[in-house]
Short mmCIF file of all heavy atoms in Angstrom, two decimals:
data_model
loop_
_atom_site.label_atom_id
_atom_site.label_comp_id
_atom_site.label_asym_id
_atom_site.label_seq_id
_atom_site.Cartn_x
_atom_site.Cartn_y
_atom_site.Cartn_z
N THR B 134 -7.08 -4.19 -15.02
CA THR B 134 -8.52 -4.10 -14.81
C THR B 134 -8.88 -4.65 -13.43
O THR B 134 -8.57 -5.79 -13.12
CB THR B 134 -9.26 -4.90 -15.89
OG1 THR B 134 -8.88 -4.39 -17.18
CG2 THR B 134 -10.76 -4.80 -15.73
N PRO B 135 -9.54 -3.82 -12.60
CA PRO B 135 -9.94 -4.32 -11.28
C PRO B 135 -11.10 -5.33 -11.38
O PRO B 135 -11.83 -5.35 -12.36
CB PRO B 135 -10.43 -3.06 -10.56
CG PRO B 135 -10.84 -2.15 -11.65
CD PRO B 135 -9.96 -2.47 -12.84
N VAL B 136 -11.21 -6.16 -10.36
CA VAL B 136 -12.26 -7.18 -10.29
C VAL B 136 -13.00 -6.97 -8.99
O VAL B 136 -12.39 -6.81 -7.92
CB VAL B 136 -11.63 -8.61 -10.29
CG1 VAL B 136 -12.71 -9.65 -10.13
CG2 VAL B 136 -10.82 -8.83 -11.56
N MET B 137 -14.30 -6.95 -9.05
CA MET B 137 -15.12 -6.82 -7.83
C MET B 137 -15.17 -8.17 -7.14
O MET B 137 -15.49 -9.19 -7.78
CB MET B 137 -16.52 -6.30 -8.14
CG MET B 137 -16.51 -4.93 -8.82
SD MET B 137 -15.41 -3.70 -8.07
CE MET B 137 -16.31 -3.27 -6.62
N ALA B 138 -14.82 -8.21 -5.87
CA ALA B 138 -14.74 -9.45 -5.11
C ALA B 138 -16.09 -9.76 -4.44
O ALA B 138 -16.87 -8.86 -4.15
CB ALA B 138 -13.68 -9.33 -4.04
N ASP B 139 -16.37 -11.04 -4.25
CA ASP B 139 -17.58 -11.48 -3.56
C ASP B 139 -17.52 -11.10 -2.09
O ASP B 139 -18.53 -10.73 -1.48
CB ASP B 139 -17.77 -12.97 -3.70
CG ASP B 139 -18.09 -13.39 -5.14
OD1 ASP B 139 -18.65 -12.55 -5.90
OD2 ASP B 139 -17.79 -14.53 -5.50
N GLU B 140 -16.33 -11.20 -1.49
CA GLU B 140 -16.16 -10.89 -0.09
C GLU B 140 -15.26 -9.65 0.06
O GLU B 140 -14.36 -9.45 -0.72
CB GLU B 140 -15.50 -12.07 0.64
CG GLU B 140 -16.40 -13.30 0.70
CD GLU B 140 -15.77 -14.42 1.51
OE1 GLU B 140 -14.88 -14.18 2.30
OE2 GLU B 140 -16.19 -15.57 1.28
N SER B 141 -15.56 -8.89 1.09
CA SER B 141 -14.81 -7.68 1.35
C SER B 141 -13.54 -7.99 2.17
O SER B 141 -13.56 -8.83 3.04
CB SER B 141 -15.67 -6.67 2.08
OG SER B 141 -15.01 -5.45 2.26
N THR B 142 -12.47 -7.28 1.85
CA THR B 142 -11.21 -7.37 2.59
C THR B 142 -11.08 -6.12 3.46
O THR B 142 -10.93 -5.02 2.92
CB THR B 142 -10.02 -7.47 1.60
OG1 THR B 142 -10.20 -8.60 0.77
CG2 THR B 142 -8.71 -7.59 2.35
N GLU B 143 -11.18 -6.28 4.78
CA GLU B 143 -11.17 -5.13 5.70
C GLU B 143 -9.82 -4.42 5.71
O GLU B 143 -9.75 -3.19 5.66
CB GLU B 143 -11.50 -5.61 7.13
CG GLU B 143 -11.38 -4.55 8.19
CD GLU B 143 -12.33 -3.37 8.06
OE1 GLU B 143 -13.40 -3.50 7.41
OE2 GLU B 143 -11.99 -2.28 8.57
N VAL B 144 -8.73 -5.19 5.79
CA VAL B 144 -7.39 -4.61 5.84
C VAL B 144 -6.72 -4.74 4.50
O VAL B 144 -6.65 -5.87 3.96
CB VAL B 144 -6.54 -5.29 6.95
CG1 VAL B 144 -5.13 -4.73 6.99
CG2 VAL B 144 -7.22 -5.15 8.33
N MET B 145 -6.25 -3.63 3.95
CA MET B 145 -5.59 -3.67 2.64
C MET B 145 -4.46 -4.68 2.64
O MET B 145 -3.69 -4.75 3.61
CB MET B 145 -5.04 -2.28 2.30
CG MET B 145 -4.52 -2.18 0.89
SD MET B 145 -3.51 -0.74 0.64
CE MET B 145 -1.91 -1.44 0.97
N THR B 146 -4.35 -5.45 1.56
CA THR B 146 -3.30 -6.48 1.51
C THR B 146 -2.84 -6.73 0.09
O THR B 146 -3.55 -6.48 -0.87
CB THR B 146 -3.82 -7.79 2.15
OG1 THR B 146 -2.75 -8.70 2.29
CG2 THR B 146 -4.91 -8.43 1.33
N PHE B 147 -1.61 -7.21 0.01
CA PHE B 147 -1.08 -7.78 -1.23
C PHE B 147 -0.90 -9.28 -0.97
O PHE B 147 -0.41 -9.65 0.12
CB PHE B 147 0.30 -7.17 -1.58
CG PHE B 147 0.22 -5.76 -2.08
CD1 PHE B 147 0.25 -4.69 -1.22
CD2 PHE B 147 0.15 -5.52 -3.45
CE1 PHE B 147 0.18 -3.40 -1.67
CE2 PHE B 147 0.11 -4.22 -3.93
CZ PHE B 147 0.13 -3.14 -3.05
N MET B 148 -1.30 -10.12 -1.91
CA MET B 148 -1.19 -11.56 -1.71
C MET B 148 -0.88 -12.26 -3.03
O MET B 148 -1.21 -11.72 -4.10
CB MET B 148 -2.46 -12.11 -1.12
CG MET B 148 -3.66 -12.03 -2.05
SD MET B 148 -5.21 -12.50 -1.29
CE MET B 148 -5.75 -10.89 -0.74
N LYS B 149 -0.25 -13.39 -2.93
CA LYS B 149 0.02 -14.20 -4.11
C LYS B 149 -1.23 -14.96 -4.47
O LYS B 149 -1.79 -15.68 -3.66
CB LYS B 149 1.17 -15.17 -3.85
CG LYS B 149 1.57 -15.99 -5.05
CD LYS B 149 2.78 -16.84 -4.77
CE LYS B 149 3.25 -17.56 -6.01
NZ LYS B 149 4.52 -18.30 -5.75
N ALA B 150 -1.71 -14.80 -5.69
CA ALA B 150 -2.90 -15.51 -6.17
C ALA B 150 -2.49 -16.82 -6.79
O ALA B 150 -3.11 -17.86 -6.57
CB ALA B 150 -3.68 -14.67 -7.15
#
Side-chain angles (χ1 to χ4, degrees):
T134 302
V136 176
M137 299 315 285
D139 292 333
E140 294 184 20
S141 185
T142 302
E143 173 64 24
V144 178
M145 189 195 93
T146 189
F147 286 88
M148 67 187 92
K149 183 175 185 175

